[in-house]
Amino acid sequence: KRISIINMVNSYKHFLYTDTCENFLSTSTVAFDMFIVENFVSILSNKTVILANDEEQKVPAFMSSLIKKHSIDFILSTPSKLELLLLNEETSSCLKNVKIIQLGGEVFKESLYNRLRSYTNAKIFNGYGPSECTACSSNKEIVENSNITIGKPFLNTRIYILNDDLNMLPIGYNGEMYISGDGVGKGYINRNDITSKAFIKDIYSNNIMYKTGDIGKYQSNGDLIYIGRKDSQ
């Protein structure tokens, strides 16, 4: 859906102030949902996107050189891929002039935040969202290592914490995360069987909500904490 992409781009611009950046780095393959974020956010914001080749995606020294060569100031990455850049002083030096580092796709550990702060003054964000909901559904700027959350829902997005009977749970209680709003897709192509189980009517609005299989809870400040999976996916 076109509206899903536009909502994602507007949300990133709202949460990250991406207008402060000019050169975006794309290190994902086209099969990974992060590729959508890297390229659509940059292009629809009238910015430059630098596409890393296979070697630059996999070899830290090559990626570091690419970041320096093109004065990259926006990086979107999984925590594990970013950790590869921190293996030594030479490769990690590329982060010195980066303005925004957006992490997602994996759990963001406190130890990684501490290491990043040794090499960069960039704003560091932690995002969450399944591919079924246009790659990202919530985001948070991380300013300390003691409270790493996945933040608040994107624009025009609701994230519910529900029990097995689809009743909302109070703040601080663990439950399954359901996502509703402009980012939610229409379902799985030619898979009506699993679409009907995962994409269900949002009983709190007129939308469709996605049953994520993820467990989370709300803090009193409105931030979401990701707990883990309900299954072994």
Side-chain angles (χ1 to χ4, degrees):
K1 296 187 298 182
R2 181 177 63 86
I3 192 173
S4 300
I5 297 292
I6 298 301
N7 190 69
M8 179 198 68
V9 172
N10 288 338
S11 295
Y12 267 103
K13 294 173 72 173
H14 174 77
F15 276 87
L16 276 71
Y17 306 104
T18 52
D19 286 342
T20 63
C21 300
E22 294 298 329
N23 298 317
F24 289 57
L25 178 65
S26 177
T27 62
S28 303
T29 66
V30 295
F32 192 24
D33 61 2
M34 276 193 175
F35 185 86
I36 297 174
V37 180
E38 292 168 335
N39 287 271
F40 277 95
V41 172
S42 54
I43 292 172
L44 294 180
S45 300
N46 197 30
K47 307 297 182 178
T48 300
V49 57
I50 306 299
L51 300 174
N53 60 32
D54 288 343
E55 286 187 328
E56 290 163 340
Q57 290 180 28
K58 299 173 182 177
V59 181
F62 293 162
M63 184 184 295
S64 178
S65 296
L66 183 69
I67 292 171
K68 292 177 180 177
K69 178 181 178 181
H70 294 282
S71 300
I72 298 297
D73 45 23
F74 181 95
I75 295 176
L76 174 65
S77 175
T78 60
S80 58
K81 181 175 286 188
L82 193 62
E83 283 179 337
L84 295 177
L85 285 176
L86 303 179
L87 291 177
N88 57 63
E89 294 285 341
E90 183 176 353
T91 55
S92 59
S93 63
C94 68
L95 300 177
K96 182 179 180 181
N97 296 317
V98 174
K99 295 179 180 178
I100 292 177
I101 296 174
Q102 170 71 65
L103 295 171
E106 299 167 355
V107 174
F108 183 5
K109 299 178 180 178
E110 295 176 3
S111 57
L112 176 57
Y113 178 83
N114 293 336
R115 294 173 64 195
L116 279 171
R117 277 291 167 246
S118 299
Y119 298 108
T120 180
N121 291 319
K123 289 181 177 292
I124 300 173
F125 291 84
N126 187 36
Y128 161 82
S131 301
E132 291 87 345
C133 299
T134 322
C136 198
S137 302
S138 70
N139 215 352
K140 173 71 174 184
E141 182 179 0
I142 306 301
V143 296
E144 58 181 352
N145 62 8
S146 61
N147 188 30
I148 295 180
T149 76
I150 56 173
K152 296 178 174 62
F154 265 4
L155 303 175
N156 305 306
T157 301
R158 296 181 179 183
I159 300 180
Y160 307 122
I161 305 297
L162 308 179
N163 63 16
D164 292 340
D165 296 321
L166 301 185
N167 294 317
M168 284 194 189
L169 292 170
I171 291 171
Y173 281 71
N174 294 354
E176 186 168 357
M177 301 170 67
Y178 288 75
I179 302 175
S180 176
D182 288 350
V184 178
K186 294 182 177 179
Y188 302 105
I189 296 177
N190 300 324
R191 291 301 306 272
N192 292 333
D193 53 339
I194 58 175
T195 293
S196 62
K197 295 177 180 179
F199 294 83
I200 61 178
K201 179 175 174 54
D202 180 352
I203 60 176
Y204 300 101
S205 72
N206 294 321
N207 297 317
I208 296 297
M209 63 182 182
Y210 174 65
K211 175 182 171 67
T212 68
D214 292 327
I215 302 299
K217 66 180 179 181
Y218 271 106
Q219 291 184 322
S220 58
N221 65 357
D223 277 3
L224 281 157
I225 295 179
Y226 174 81
I227 306 297
R229 287 292 301 173
K230 187 175 182 179
D231 52 28
S232 58
Q233 177 176 312

